[in-house]
């Protein structure tokens, strides 16, 4: 196929043309600083307020509870570090899971080096957090539970409402990294008992480098970036108006098209899963069979190296991933795949395909044909496979 087939929408998505269009005037003619007092700048303040309101409405929050950040990673860092600092009089214990994104895991490690204790909850073979273990991990000194909404590698959706109830019952703050889920699932913070939520624009056809942290009113979380009075004094620095406007537009589009878009993605995903599992032997689907993001399929192919498969798919114009974008290039198997119990050698042979509404059935057919061909080729070069066939 001449055309590029993009199947890595969990890494990032294409910025929609409608999004780019609304951003453009804020780079050129509407360049005022929203903090300035004159009328010219008031348009920027208004645009920022509107984008914030669109986002707040999408999650059932108030505008004053939404803080723009430089992306999902910053939102996660802020939620964890500032909560840890603000609530240290109550205790220094945090609960999270083994399968979080590194934006959470590495922040937890940072906090551990500063005297905080972190309990990492296991997941079952489908990648669902073990609720009984979570409940048992709660101590009088626990100040925060941080569990992701949906996993970026295997797509498994967590029992967020149950975790929210558990947190509330025990008077513990609950943060969720919803970077992958926001725009794909209906999320309402009050119904779910979520106190803080991180999201990022580039995962839902918005620009890269902007996200937000939702902080429920009344939570005494500290400022993260110190300086001016922007973002109600909690995240200083002149606001990125064009990106915020683009984020607002991306959210508006994602919410209004969610039902039909995710239905189409789910149908394509099911077709993809069915073909791969039925046509390629010694293959497994990673993640929960049904409680998974509409666009996520993650497979492990025995007897092959995922990296070799990726390179060969790339030569056929197919963009895919072996796990999260940050782990590609590294030879360590994914911490998520190891956490669901895969042995190293099977975790190594994994492929993540994440779809968008723009993908077609022809693209999926072409991709499955290429995967099949490549897996066969790689297996035929594998001494392990040869040995396995001989001993069968
Ligand atoms: N959290 C999750 C679950 C993610 O998938 C990602 C990005 O891949 C991030 C956080 C980081 O977001 P950003 O790229 O906006 O910093």
């Amino acid at each position: 196929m001449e055309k590029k087939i993009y199947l890595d929408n969990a890494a990032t998505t294409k910025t929609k043309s409608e999004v780019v269009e609304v951003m453009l005037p804020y780079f050129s003619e509407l360049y005022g600083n929203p903090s300035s007092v004159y009328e010219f700048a008031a348009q920027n303040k208004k645009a920022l307020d509107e984008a914030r309101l669109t986002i707040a409405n999408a999650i059932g929050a108030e505008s004053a509870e939404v803080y723009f950040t430089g992306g999902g990673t910053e939102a996660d860092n802020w939620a964890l570090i500032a909560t840890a600092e603000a609530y240290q009089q109550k205790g220094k214990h945090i609960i999270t899971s083994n399968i979080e994104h590194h934006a959470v895991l590495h922040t937890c490690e940072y906090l551990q080096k500063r005297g905080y204790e972190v309990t990492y909850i296991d997941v079952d073979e489908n990648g669902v957090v073990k609720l009984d273990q979570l409940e048992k991990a709660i101590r009088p000194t626990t100040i925060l539970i941080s569990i992701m909404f949906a996993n970026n590698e295997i797509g498994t959706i967590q029992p967020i409402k149950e975790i929210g109830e558990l947190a509330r019952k025990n008077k513990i703050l609950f943060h969720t990294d919803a970077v992958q889920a926001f725009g794909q699932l209906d999320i309402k913070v009050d119904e779910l008992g979520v106190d803080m939520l991180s999201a990022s624009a580039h995962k839902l056809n918005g620009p890269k480098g902007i996200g937000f942290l939702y902080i429920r009113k009344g939570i005494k979380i500290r400022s993260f970036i110190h300086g001016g009075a922007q973002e109600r004094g909690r995240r200083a620095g002149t606001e990125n108006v064009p990106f915020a406007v683009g984020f607002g537009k991306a959210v508006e589009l994602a919410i209004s098209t969610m039902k039909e878009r995710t239905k189409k993605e789910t149908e394509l995903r099911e077709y993809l899963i069915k073909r791969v599992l039925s046509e390629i032997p010694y293959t497994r689907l990673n993640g929960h069979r049904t409680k998974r993001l509409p666009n996520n399929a993650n497979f492990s192919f025995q007897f092959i190296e995922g990296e070799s498969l990726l390179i060969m798919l790339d030569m056929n114009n197919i963009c895919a991933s072996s796990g999260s974008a940050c782990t590609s290039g590294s030879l360590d198997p994914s911490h998520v795949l190891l956490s669901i119990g895969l042995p190293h050698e099977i975790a190594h042979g994994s492929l993540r395909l994440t779809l968008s509404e723009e993908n077609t059935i022809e693209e999926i057919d072409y991709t499955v044909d290429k995967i099949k061909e490549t897996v066969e080729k790689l297996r035929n070069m594998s001494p392990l496979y040869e040995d396995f066939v001989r001993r069968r």
Side-chain angles (χ1 to χ4, degrees):
M1 225 179 235
E2 286 290 297
K3 199 176 128 236
K4 170 176 85 316
I5 300 178
Y6 188 74
L7 297 172
D8 202 15
N9 287 279
T12 197
T13 57
K14 176 161 100 182
T15 311
K16 281 208 153 113
S17 54
E18 298 98 306
V19 170
V20 175
E21 205 177 304
V22 297
M23 290 169 73
L24 287 177
Y26 294 92
F27 289 108
S28 47
E29 62 264 35
L30 297 175
Y31 54 83
N33 186 324
S35 302
S36 303
V37 290
Y38 35 81
E39 183 53 31
F40 174 55
Q43 296 176 70
N44 294 77
K45 166 107 180 44
K46 187 165 168 271
L48 201 60
D49 288 346
E50 280 171 7
R52 201 187 306 279
L53 181 63
T54 304
I55 291 168
N57 286 340
I59 56 168
E62 288 176 26
S63 274
E65 296 173 310
V66 171
Y67 297 81
F68 285 113
T69 65
T73 302
E74 183 187 318
D76 285 343
N77 271 258
W78 184 5
L80 270 69
I81 295 171
T83 307
E85 283 181 357
Y87 287 82
Q88 57 184 310
Q89 298 306 334
K90 182 187 168 200
K92 288 187 144 194
H93 180 235
I94 293 167
I95 299 175
T96 188
S97 83
N98 278 325
I99 62 159
E100 298 297 310
H101 189 271
H102 287 129
V104 167
L105 289 180
H106 289 170
T107 306
C108 284
E109 285 165 24
Y110 167 89
L111 288 170
Q112 280 176 289
K113 287 193 193 118
R114 278 151 190 82
Y116 289 85
E117 270 189 274
V118 181
T119 304
Y120 298 89
I121 305 300
D122 294 326
V123 294
D124 66 16
E125 68 280 11
N126 295 315
V128 181
V129 163
K130 292 185 173 168
L131 281 178
D132 53 338
Q133 204 184 91
L134 199 158
E135 186 161 16
K136 281 194 202 114
I138 293 173
R139 310 175 188 167
T141 54
T142 308
I143 50 172
L144 178 69
I145 296 174
S146 180
I147 302 286
M148 70 198 324
F149 212 109
N151 185 266
N152 46 304
E153 294 189 39
I154 56 174
T156 299
I157 300 166
Q158 299 300 336
I160 293 299
K161 194 165 187 212
E162 285 85 338
I163 300 171
E165 278 163 12
L166 211 55
R168 197 144 287 185
K169 197 173 83 186
N170 290 281
K171 297 190 170 51
I172 299 166
L173 294 179
F174 176 33
H175 164 252
T176 186
D177 172 345
V179 169
Q180 291 291 337
F182 183 53
Q184 292 216 61
L185 304 174
D186 184 31
I187 299 176
K188 293 287 177 285
V189 286
D190 283 349
E191 284 166 24
L192 296 165
V194 167
D195 297 309
M196 284 174 278
L197 177 144
S198 309
S200 181
H202 75 103
K203 308 289 186 182
L204 51 129
N205 305 104
K208 294 166 183 59
I210 187 161
F212 74 86
L213 179 65
Y214 155 78
I215 308 174
R216 182 177 291 284
K217 221 167 29 187
I219 292 181
K220 58 168 191 188
I221 191 167
R222 301 239 170 121
S223 307
F224 193 52
I225 309 274
H226 307 279
Q230 294 93 349
E231 300 298 297
R232 290 173 296 285
R234 282 172 154 184
R235 200 266 186 183
T238 303
E239 301 90 339
N240 192 340
V241 180
F243 280 42
V245 168
F247 194 2
K249 185 69 184 176
V251 170
E252 181 196 313
L253 293 172
I255 299 296
S256 62
T257 62
M258 190 185 291
K259 220 173 166 179
E260 52 189 297
R261 178 170 42 89
T262 54
K263 181 170 179 277
K264 185 185 167 201
E265 286 172 0
T266 307
E267 280 165 12
L268 266 187
R269 178 197 76 189
E270 287 304 302
Y271 178 73
L272 164 70
I273 292 175
K274 192 163 170 239
R275 269 206 68 187
V276 169
L277 294 184
S278 62
E279 296 179 31
I280 309 178
Y282 315 115
T283 297
R284 56 164 279 149
L285 176 74
N286 297 315
H288 198 282
R289 187 64 194 85
T290 52
K291 285 183 208 142
R292 66 188 306 132
L293 289 172
N295 71 342
N296 174 294
N298 185 313
F299 303 102
S300 290
F301 304 98
Q302 261 179 276
F303 313 109
I304 68 148
E305 287 285 342
E307 295 299 316
S308 316
L309 175 59
L310 272 192
I311 293 165
M312 287 165 90
L313 290 178
D314 187 25
M315 286 175 356
N316 286 291
N317 268 344
I318 300 165
C319 307
S321 162
S322 61
S324 67
C326 355
T327 55
S328 30
S330 129
L331 286 178
D332 293 335
S334 133
H335 65 286
V336 176
L337 297 178
L338 295 182
S339 296
I340 60 171
L342 293 195
H344 276 239
E345 65 278 14
I346 294 183
H348 264 304
S350 300
L351 178 73
R352 180 187 73 180
L353 302 171
T354 43
L355 320 179
S356 81
E357 62 189 319
E358 289 189 12
N359 293 126
T360 60
I361 199 114
E362 290 75 26
E363 289 181 338
I364 301 297
D365 275 332
Y366 175 79
T367 303
V368 177
D369 291 345
K370 288 294 162 196
I371 297 174
K372 220 167 124 178
E373 199 181 292
T374 312
V375 167
E376 211 174 288
K377 216 181 272 176
L378 290 171
R379 280 181 180 164
N380 285 337
M381 294 187 311
S382 155
L384 281 177
Y385 185 61
E386 197 187 324
D387 194 42
F388 171 79
V389 172
R390 209 173 332 110
R391 285 197 280 123
R392 231 179 346 168

